[in-house]
Amino acid sequence: MRFTFEDAAVSVDMQGYESDVLAAHDVEGTSTSPAPRDLFTLRESPALDADDKARFHTMVAKLAYLAKRTRPDILTAISFLSTRVQEPNKSDADKLAKVMKYLKHSGTRSIKLTKRYDHPVAYVDASYGVHSDYRSHTGIVITLGEGPIFVSYFVFI
């Protein structure tokens, strides 16, 4: 993680980590969105073999690490894909590839943190029963001004 201090703000990025992840996985093409429209749709698709399944799990874990620190823009897609690591299929791998293409397209982004408020401000949103098994999900962002100090995403039964 790299911290850049400027006046009353600090910017945080993970440029080296992002570059290493992209370089290790030969990403072809780019995407302007981290998730397809059918992100939450489970499709009948061939299961991944053991090696691809392990790679899928590893990549989702690496991107979850990145999403929770400096790339909350990929958190929704990665949170969903993390529910698929036990039995991923080709459709799930395609969705993960779209996240990787988005990272390649968007380049390294930083989070700039500034204090505007004397108290935390939270933004919350939820969707009820949107998954095929009728689970729901919600997301939360907490800030003190510019930039999130906490970002999370939850799936509920």
Side-chain angles (χ1 to χ4, degrees):
M1 239 190 252
R2 180 175 57 181
F3 297 88
T4 306
F5 298 91
E6 45 194 63
D7 297 326
V10 61
S11 294
V12 184
D13 72 57
M14 294 179 70
Q15 179 180 4
Y17 185 83
E18 281 186 56
S19 297
D20 291 348
V21 167
L22 289 171
H25 294 281
D26 297 327
V27 179
E28 294 182 20
T30 62
S31 174
T32 58
S33 170
R37 289 183 186 185
D38 66 343
L39 175 66
F40 299 113
T41 303
L42 298 178
R43 302 228 183 272
E44 290 293 325
S45 183
L48 299 181
D49 64 33
D51 289 340
D52 288 341
K53 183 177 175 180
R55 278 191 289 274
F56 179 88
H57 195 155
T58 298
M59 183 52 56
V60 169
K62 287 181 177 185
L63 294 180
Y65 179 80
L66 179 65
K68 290 292 286 182
R69 283 152 185 80
T70 61
R71 293 301 298 260
D73 51 331
I74 65 170
L75 186 59
T76 300
I78 294 304
S79 293
F80 172 76
L81 292 172
S82 71
T83 69
R84 302 290 303 148
V85 296
Q86 295 302 314
E87 295 300 325
N89 61 29
K90 174 74 168 86
S91 175
D92 299 321
D94 292 343
K95 291 172 184 177
L96 179 59
K98 184 160 177 83
V99 176
M100 298 293 290
K101 290 175 183 181
Y102 171 74
L103 286 174
K104 181 179 176 183
H105 170 78
S106 62
T108 300
R109 292 188 175 176
S110 63
I111 292 181
K112 185 175 182 179
L113 302 170
T114 63
K115 181 181 174 194
R116 183 180 308 155
Y117 312 115
D118 289 328
H119 58 280
V121 176
Y123 300 93
V124 180
D125 193 15
S127 292
Y128 180 74
V130 296
H131 297 278
S132 61
D133 57 2
Y134 302 104
R135 291 186 299 167
S136 304
H137 63 261
T138 189
I140 183 169
V141 176
I142 300 174
T143 184
L144 288 172
E146 184 180 348
I149 58 171
F150 177 81
V151 177
S152 197
Y153 178 90
F154 307 94
V155 176
F156 295 100
I157 296 175

